[in-house]
Amino acid sequence: MQFDRRAGVFLHVTSLPGPHGIGDLGQGARRFLDWLAAAEQSYWQFCPLGPTAPIHGDSPYQAYSAFAGNPLLVSLERLVDAGHLNRDDLAPVPEFSEHDVEYDRVREYKTGRLRMAAERFHADADAAERDAFEAFCERESAWLDDYALFMALRTRHDGAWTDWPGPVRTHNPDTIAESRADLADEIAYRRFVQFVFDRQWRAVREYAHERGIDLVGDLPIYVALDSADVWASPEAFDLSDDGRPAAVAGVPPNPGDDGQRWGNPVYDWESLRADGYGWWLDRLERLFELADVTRIDHFKGFDEFWAIPTDADAPSAGEWRDAPGHDFFETLAGHFDDLPFIVEDLGFVDQGLVDLRDRFGFPSMRVPHYADWCQQGDMYQPMHYPENSVGYTSTHDTDTVIGYFESLSAEQRSCLEYNIGADGSEINWSLIEAVWRSDAVLAFTALQDVLGLDSHARFNEPGTTHGNWTWRATAEAFTDPLADRLARITDEHIRN
């Protein structure tokens, strides 16, 4: 896919303002899109949209499904508008924080209302609504049936599928048929939630397109072990006879760190190749229904991946294994009209990764946080970004620009200021302008950087499991002066 010179803002959906403790697909999303349009931005980027798990700190990169939407993102206000809830059903609304997502409290409040809406829908919906629901269930049955059953079983057995009784864990046909019958009400609830998520998301996407804004989704290369994906499609993953991972994903040690052990099961690429990558094609077809462009997280894993023995705690115990990246993307190119990918190629940039990325022309990522500002020609300094790249001021995994700048040594600060022609007084805007001025075909900034926020607004710190993914913007953040300033920079550097 060929990209035009454009710009956008990163803000995960959970970070939007809203009345029920978390950003959702209601008025807050539309207000943000209006602000983006006023700022002359043409992209909105966000993290994965899947249903998050409390045990993983509600990380969007450890979801119960690679296909489903997060129930917490469903707008209760929009359910009132649709007639699935009454206004009184929302009361009493707890006093939620405007600045942080309190996931446990939000989940308790919203789940009760979603169940109420589902019961009312299945009892009272008119023929048109029932037809729309049945059409959705039929269209998405390839993943929806397994996901709804998985979540129903997870509720019944109160835990990960790897601990379920053997016949359920291993898909005994008679047991699965019995479970579908016994859990019919719970399955219907799970399907309803996905139906309203899908409807609300498509409405938001249409609203964005009407304002000239495309949506940039996110594709985590791996899925969570405790997910409908692994339970329903074990043949796609490298599992032992008991259904548990034979190896788990991570990254090896780098200079200055011990590496990371993510714990996700790695893929059985030989099995996937023999099947024509069917599971991946289904996954991407669903993602392309929801987003216009997709960022591939950990692109290195499609060239070769770090596999750590399941019984090893240290990432250093792993080994590199080959992945069929060239064959995989050739298959995708033969199946889809476009491959609207940008790739996260930070960290282990070797010749194999470069060859794979460049063969298909995928734009790579450049983030100033990785620059040595006193080293001439450093690839992460904005003045050296190639045209086929995506420049960021910061990402969901880095500190904000202000927090990053405050962490630098005096020498690095001085070199940074010299290189981008800044005096340090508004380093967030100076770095936004440097990225916008660069040759990179796409430029993104995080809303936290537009607002000039320090480390307290950092969204995620890799390698940690608690205290992440909670930051929220308030409605007062989307001001006209900020939109005007970003628009001026965008116009000046021809990113419309």
Side-chain angles (χ1 to χ4, degrees):
M1 179 173 175
Q2 295 297 313
F3 290 94
D4 297 323
R5 186 175 169 85
R6 295 165 68 182
V9 174
F10 169 84
L11 182 70
H12 190 38
V13 182
T14 59
S15 297
L16 291 165
H20 300 132
I22 191 170
D24 61 33
L25 304 181
Q27 191 56 36
R30 287 160 177 78
R31 181 169 182 174
F32 178 57
L33 287 165
D34 289 340
W35 182 86
L36 284 178
E40 299 191 17
Q41 302 305 289
S42 47
Y43 282 119
W44 173 18
Q45 182 175 348
F46 38 83
C47 289
L49 300 171
T52 58
I55 194 172
H56 294 302
D58 282 282
S59 167
Y61 294 88
Q62 295 278 2
Y64 287 129
S65 170
F67 296 80
N70 190 345
L72 300 184
L73 302 184
V74 171
S75 166
L76 300 182
E77 297 281 346
R78 294 283 155 172
L79 293 184
V80 172
D81 295 341
H84 303 319
L85 290 173
N86 299 320
R87 182 68 53 186
D88 291 345
D89 294 332
L90 304 185
V93 179
E95 292 187 12
F96 291 115
S97 169
E98 290 186 333
H99 304 285
D100 298 285
V101 181
E102 303 166 283
Y103 281 100
D104 290 342
R105 295 183 67 220
V106 168
R107 184 175 285 106
E108 180 179 5
Y109 172 76
K110 295 195 78 167
T111 298
R113 274 69 190 175
L114 290 172
R115 288 190 178 278
M116 191 183 304
E119 290 173 6
R120 188 165 299 156
F121 175 85
H122 288 299
D124 301 330
D126 61 26
E129 281 290 87
R130 290 185 184 278
D131 287 347
F133 174 71
E134 292 301 329
F136 166 77
C137 291
E138 182 176 355
R139 186 183 76 232
E140 305 297 340
S141 61
W143 63 268
L144 181 62
D145 291 351
D146 287 330
Y147 166 76
L149 176 59
F150 171 84
M151 294 304 295
L153 286 166
R154 206 179 183 288
T155 300
R156 165 179 279 186
H157 297 292
D158 192 26
W161 71 266
T162 50
D163 296 325
W164 294 351
V168 186
R169 190 177 70 245
T170 58
H171 295 264
N172 176 276
D174 292 338
T175 303
I176 294 300
E178 284 180 18
S179 297
R180 289 191 187 279
D182 292 346
L183 298 171
D185 290 345
E186 183 69 14
I187 290 170
Y189 161 68
R190 300 292 177 174
R191 285 175 169 162
F192 169 79
V193 172
Q194 292 308 306
F195 167 63
V196 293
F197 173 91
D198 187 85
R199 173 179 279 183
Q200 290 187 5
W201 182 262
R202 289 174 189 272
V204 167
R205 189 180 184 188
E206 181 179 358
Y207 193 90
H209 287 174
E210 290 170 352
R211 284 148 186 77
I213 298 166
D214 286 334
L215 305 184
V216 182
D218 201 312
L219 178 72
I221 183 173
Y222 294 116
V223 300
L225 172 61
D226 186 20
S227 66
D229 311 299
V230 182
W231 175 72
S233 302
E235 68 282 353
F237 302 90
D238 186 9
L239 306 179
S240 58
D241 291 341
D242 63 359
R244 290 170 173 79
V248 296
V251 290
N254 261 325
D257 69 50
D258 298 325
Q260 296 178 30
R261 184 187 187 280
W262 299 332
N264 309 73
V266 298
Y267 294 103
D268 185 336
W269 281 112
E270 289 305 313
S271 175
L272 285 164
R273 192 206 301 257
D275 183 49
Y277 306 107
W279 182 87
W280 272 101
L281 295 177
D282 290 344
R283 182 183 183 186
L284 289 169
E285 283 179 353
R286 174 61 176 164
L287 186 54
F288 292 164
E289 291 177 359
L290 304 178
D292 303 292
V293 177
T294 296
R295 186 195 82 113
I296 300 179
D297 191 52
H298 193 58
F299 182 71
K300 172 64 178 171
F302 288 103
D303 170 48
E304 57 180 357
F305 58 97
W306 191 250
I308 305 168
T310 303
D311 58 0
D313 293 327
S316 59
E319 63 178 5
W320 287 113
R321 297 181 186 174
D322 291 334
H326 291 269
D327 184 66
F328 174 73
F329 286 105
E330 285 285 2
T331 301
L332 298 190
H335 186 82
F336 297 105
D337 292 335
D338 287 310
L339 298 183
F341 294 133
I342 59 180
V343 300
E344 187 270 296
D345 56 349
L346 306 171
F348 298 91
V349 183
D350 59 10
Q351 195 58 47
L353 181 153
V354 170
D355 290 345
L356 179 61
R357 181 195 70 201
D358 292 353
R359 176 178 175 183
F360 295 93
F362 299 145
S364 61
M365 286 178 59
R366 296 290 190 275
V367 185
H369 292 56
Y370 299 104
D372 180 343
W373 293 99
C374 300
Q375 176 65 47
Q376 185 175 359
D378 187 287
M379 66 184 287
Y380 294 112
Q381 297 171 4
M383 66 286 291
H384 302 303
Y385 292 174
E387 181 179 356
N388 195 34
S389 68
V390 186
Y392 287 82
T393 60
S394 65
T395 76
H396 67 276
D397 276 340
T398 70
D399 206 340
T400 65
V401 165
I402 297 293
Y404 162 69
F405 185 70
E406 291 176 346
S407 73
L408 291 175
S409 67
E411 180 184 25
Q412 285 289 317
R413 285 192 201 181
S414 178
C415 290
L416 187 161
E417 292 169 0
Y418 173 80
N419 272 296
I420 67 172
D423 63 9
S425 60
E426 287 187 300
I427 195 62
N428 55 316
W429 284 104
S430 297
L431 207 46
I432 289 171
E433 185 152 12
V435 171
W436 260 235
R437 185 171 57 240
S438 75
D439 289 338
V441 67
L442 303 180
F444 285 91
T445 186
L447 183 66
Q448 293 95 316
D449 295 336
V450 176
L451 299 175
L453 301 180
D454 61 18
S455 297
H456 86 275
R458 180 170 182 161
F459 200 44
N460 177 51
E461 188 168 351
T464 64
T465 57
H466 299 287
N468 298 313
W469 319 111
T470 63
W471 181 81
R472 294 182 72 199
T474 63
E476 293 72 30
F478 307 123
T479 67
D480 292 339
L482 285 179
D484 291 344
R485 187 168 187 178
L486 192 54
R488 285 197 303 272
I489 294 173
T490 301
D491 286 342
E492 180 179 349
H493 299 294
I494 318 174
R495 289 195 176 275
N496 303 100

